[in-house]
Amino acid sequence: MEVRPNDQLSFTVPNEQIIEWRRQMHAHPELSFKEVNTSQWVEDLLQGMGIETSRPTPTSVLGVLKGTGQGPAKNIGLRADMDALPVQEETGEEFSSTVDGVMHACGHDTHTAMQLGAAKVLSENTDLFGGTVTFVFQHAEELNPGGAQEMVRAGAMEGLDGIFALHVMNAPVGTVQVRPGPATSLAGGGWITIKGQGSHGSMPQNSIDPVLVAAQVVVGLNTIVSRSVDPSHFMVINPGMIQAGQAPNVIPDSATIGVSVRTRTAEDTDLAFRRIEELTNGICAAYGASVEYEWVDAYDIVYNDAALAAQALESAKKVAGDDNAWEGEISSGSEDFSAFANEVPGCFIILGGGDAEQGFPFQIHHPKFNVREDCLAIGTALEVQLILDLLGPDTAE
Ligand SMILES: [Zn+2]
Ligand SMILES: [Zn+2]
């Protein structure tokens, strides 16, 4: 059964337009830092709505809309990310990606479409609020060091009193989850390169085999969480990538392991990287191999501002119904939205895009990830309602 926003709201959402935008963007995905056509498309649409735009970075867009009604003279931001992933789409949808090996597998197409929907509704109803709405269309969420911190450096958060972001997730359509405090996990990691000594495969005595050493390192890394970490703490250490060699009869010179690390405190992050290096150094030394590390800056934990989270929960109940909005759990995922939320009060909201029972069993980043599109109207309505609740005439200053 189709889910719709509460019909008592003071505005209507252009459902079909939002779905059309989502499908158009889904069919034409662009990778992180390469959102050239997408950002132009977004900027053109915003300008068509009479919204003033600017470009903090080459592929990001800011839209600024001033209310003409009564309300607090605050500036509230809404953020949508626009980049896609290097994933080959397998949804079989008629609006599937037209770009080989690139897919909107994290729902950023839905985020952009919903926020364009909110921009359209608000631009047609400026008399319903005072203050300013800033639409933040962000590039490069998926690729470290992330687009958000670039936008912060370019001054995109200056003058904002708060910022919200929605993310679709594998949860029932029509539901919203938003919690005060930590909302996501810290994500870091990088590459471990093991250097050995290559040789003919038939003369292993002349080699230091980096494939064998890498295999032992992978096993070692998988013992850190079980043996070095307090069982009540959250930590993931995932050696998700391993590359070495070209042929079965050759022992290569080097092997590279890509590792992703998720934690919820700075102390645990330090512990994770210390143990990764201790174990790897020890294993490499035992075989006479050397090792180099290349760690990338982590995405910080997203901390939701308590007041904004309480407001988001209240607005979500108005839009989706009292039973369909709750605090939810801390996500094991991570988000560079933390770069914004570390500058101004921020709030990251989870929007149900469909779950297994509704026929949507695949998680974000899966080649078959998809959403049930009636979630889009809920998300757009929530964004608009949040602005009206924070910048409308009935708002207590
Ligand atoms: Zn993602
Ligand atoms: Zn995402």
Side-chain angles (χ1 to χ4, degrees), residues 13-33:
V13 169
N15 289 344
E16 281 168 21
Q17 176 74 82
I18 297 166
I19 290 172
E20 190 188 314
W21 282 330
R22 183 261 168 156
R23 292 183 177 190
Q24 174 158 359
M25 187 162 160
H26 191 89
H28 301 97
E30 291 177 300
L31 290 171
S32 310
F33 296 102

Side-chain angles (χ1 to χ4, degrees), residues 3-9 11 13 15 318-320 374 377-379 381:
V3 170
R4 286 164 196 258
N6 181 353
D7 57 13
Q8 304 296 310
L9 302 174
F11 56 90
V13 169
N15 289 344
K318 288 186 196 172
V319 167
D374 50 341
I378 302 286

Side-chain angles (χ1 to χ4, degrees), residues 81 106 108 141-142 167 335:
D81 37 15
C106 200
H108 298 184
E141 193 284 324
E142 295 286 1
H167 205 302
E335 251 285 341

Side-chain angles (χ1 to χ4, degrees), residues 324-341:
N324 295 320
W326 63 89
E327 285 196 356
E329 303 294 324
I330 305 174
S331 165
S332 63
S334 65
E335 251 285 341
D336 81 338
F337 180 69
S338 53
F340 295 138

Side-chain angles (χ1 to χ4, degrees), residues 206-264:
N206 296 329
S207 76
I208 295 171
D209 182 0
V211 175
L212 173 67
V213 179
Q216 306 250 1
V217 168
V218 168
V219 173
L221 297 187
N222 277 290
T223 65
I224 295 173
V225 173
S226 74
R227 285 299 170 266
S228 301
V229 183
D230 181 329
S232 68
H233 290 209
F234 166 88
M235 187 186 288
V236 174
I237 295 178
N238 181 49
M241 189 207 90
I242 181 160
Q243 276 176 356
Q246 307 280 355
N249 59 351
V250 177
I251 293 175
D253 273 326
S254 70
T256 300
I257 302 167
V259 189
S260 174
V261 176
R262 308 290 167 119
T263 65
R264 285 189 186 139

Side-chain angles (χ1 to χ4, degrees), residues 46-363:
L46 292 174
Q47 287 177 351
M49 298 171 196
I51 293 174
E52 199 182 304
T53 63
S54 62
R55 297 294 202 116
T57 73
T59 59
S60 63
V61 184
L62 277 192
V64 174
L65 178 67
K66 292 195 186 308
T68 56
Q70 299 291 312
K74 288 185 178 167
N75 186 340
I76 301 297
L78 297 173
R79 174 271 208 166
D81 37 15
M82 302 187 290
D83 56 325
L85 284 160
V87 168
Q88 180 66 43
E89 177 156 1
E90 294 175 15
T91 64
E93 288 284 9
E94 58 187 23
F95 53 86
S96 283
S97 172
T98 56
V99 185
D100 230 23
V102 183
M103 176 192 175
H104 273 294
C106 200
H108 298 184
D109 52 335
T110 69
H111 306 162
T112 298
M114 288 188 285
Q115 192 160 297
L116 285 168
K120 183 165 169 60
V121 174
L122 289 165
S123 67
E124 290 168 355
N125 292 279
T126 57
D127 56 317
L128 295 181
F129 61 96
T132 304
V133 186
T134 300
F135 301 97
V136 178
F137 288 91
Q138 185 204 318
H139 62 306
E141 193 284 324
E142 295 286 1
L143 189 61
N144 237 297
Q149 56 158 283
E150 262 190 5
M151 292 188 79
V152 167
R153 279 202 298 274
M157 291 299 103
E158 279 165 21
L160 262 68
D161 296 295
I163 184 163
F164 294 87
L166 292 188
H167 205 302
V168 288
M169 215 58 86
N170 210 252
V173 178
T175 64
V176 176
Q177 298 172 52
V178 53
R179 67 193 319 285
T184 66
S185 303
L186 179 141
W191 288 268
I192 301 171
T193 300
I194 295 161
K195 300 206 164 147
Q197 168 87 53
S199 82
H200 195 290
S202 68
M203 292 175 252
Q205 74 278 14
N206 296 329
S207 76
I208 295 171
D209 182 0
V211 175
L212 173 67
V213 179
Q216 306 250 1
V217 168
V218 168
V219 173
L221 297 187
N222 277 290
T223 65
I224 295 173
V225 173
S226 74
R227 285 299 170 266
S228 301
V229 183
D230 181 329
S232 68
H233 290 209
F234 166 88
M235 187 186 288
V236 174
I237 295 178
N238 181 49
M241 189 207 90
I242 181 160
Q243 276 176 356
Q246 307 280 355
N249 59 351
V250 177
I251 293 175
D253 273 326
S254 70
T256 300
I257 302 167
V259 189
S260 174
V261 176
R262 308 290 167 119
T263 65
R264 285 189 186 139
T265 65
E267 293 72 33
D268 280 345
T269 306
D270 291 345
L271 171 68
F273 286 99
R274 181 169 60 76
R275 290 296 295 142
I276 288 172
E277 291 198 7
E278 282 172 357
L279 268 161
T280 306
N281 289 344
I283 292 166
C284 288
Y287 289 94
S290 62
V291 59
E292 282 172 12
Y293 302 98
E294 190 189 334
W295 301 129
V296 288
D297 276 347
Y299 284 179
D300 203 354
I301 296 162
V302 174
Y303 289 100
N304 281 348
D305 177 81
L308 293 191
Q311 179 59 61
L313 193 57
E314 191 188 312
S315 302
K317 287 182 175 179
K318 288 186 196 172
V319 167
D322 284 349
D323 296 339
N324 295 320
W326 63 89
E327 285 196 356
E329 303 294 324
I330 305 174
S331 165
S332 63
S334 65
E335 251 285 341
D336 81 338
F337 180 69
S338 53
F340 295 138
N342 287 347
E343 290 296 307
V344 300
C347 182
F348 187 70
I349 303 166
I350 302 296
L351 179 73
D355 64 5
E357 242 173 76
Q358 295 173 326
F360 293 82
F362 301 104
Q363 304 285 336

